[in-house]
Amino acid sequence: DAGVIQSPRHEVTEMGQEVTLRCKPISGHNSLFWYRQTMMRGLELLIYFNNNVPIDDSGMPEDRFSAKMPNASFSTLKIQPSEPRDSAVYFCASSFSGEKNQPQHFGDGTRLSIL
Amino acid sequence: GNSVTQMEGPVTLSEEAFLTINCTYTATGYPSLFWYVQYPGEGLQLLLKATKADDKGSNKGFEATYRKETTSFHLEKGSVQVSDSAVYFCALRGGSNYKLTFGKGTLLTVNP
């Protein structure tokens, strides 16, 4: 079975540019999570969706960050305008929320570098 | 709220040594507990899980037992290999909360 698919795997862009990260969750999963990982701050939950609805976006750092989930098989995380401090690895994860013993399954991440 | 505390690394061991990475948690109710592993350049992978007290999760020679009396879920392996070098995260999911609460991760390096 296909796992969580993220694209692109790597993104290098100049500050001020718009960045869009994409995620396809595992089919049948109804919860989707966006994380950011840096050496300094570790793994941070940015936002999560349940049944395509944003449930908790308290981890989104600023208004420059936005996330959407237009349908059950696709989500985007957008940064506009981007800044060098946004450089990090961004992970998407999905799970089935019906039972608490269900783990989250992670994609391989997008390594973002803002110059 | 929920929280997870795991031993700070880095941990450096020789091949075939015994591994313990401590993890304790705070949660209301009866959470499910997880260990994830992250190899260099990759995402987090589920290593093992336990869903109720006294359950033992195991995978790839790793084990962890859900100890409610000590609110712990320590990761152990009897004989580590160089290929076990990675970052290990303890996590919990509790109640009606969809979120996982992660520890800060422990970097393990195994030398030949």
Side-chain angles (χ1 to χ4, degrees), chain B residues 52-108:
Chain B
K52 61 182 187 296
D54 300 324
D55 266 3
K56 177 185 285 188
S58 61
N59 186 25
K60 300 181 182 179
F62 290 89
E63 294 183 340
T65 301
Y66 188 141
R67 301 284 187 203
K68 189 160 180 65
E69 64 275 14
T70 55
T71 61
S72 65
F73 193 54
H74 305 320
L75 183 68
E76 297 181 337
K77 186 174 185 181
S79 176
V80 293
Q81 306 300 313
V82 172
S83 57
D84 294 327
S85 298
V87 180
Y88 292 82
F89 292 90
C90 185
L92 72 82
R93 180 179 173 186
S96 61
N97 198 327
Y98 306 126
K99 298 194 297 186
L100 279 177
T101 300
F102 283 93
K104 293 186 181 299
T106 302
L107 173 63
L108 170 66

Side-chain angles (χ1 to χ4, degrees), chain A residues 27-90:
Chain A
S27 177
H29 284 184
N30 62 344
S31 289
L32 184 138
F33 306 80
W34 281 101
Y35 292 88
R36 178 172 68 177
Q37 186 178 41
T38 62
M39 289 293 292
M40 290 295 292
R41 302 169 74 101
L43 193 63
E44 303 173 278
L45 177 65
L46 300 178
I47 185 171
Y48 72 93
F49 295 84
N50 193 58
N51 294 323
N52 309 340
V53 176
I55 301 300
D56 183 353
D57 64 356
S58 60
M60 296 285 264
E62 302 171 32
D63 291 346
R64 298 185 296 107
F65 286 70
S66 62
K68 294 182 180 179
M69 191 164 186
N71 57 61
S73 59
F74 184 66
S75 176
T76 59
L77 178 68
K78 188 172 293 188
I79 308 173
Q80 167 63 20
S82 58
E83 297 183 4
R85 59 195 168 116
D86 302 331
S87 298
V89 182
Y90 290 81

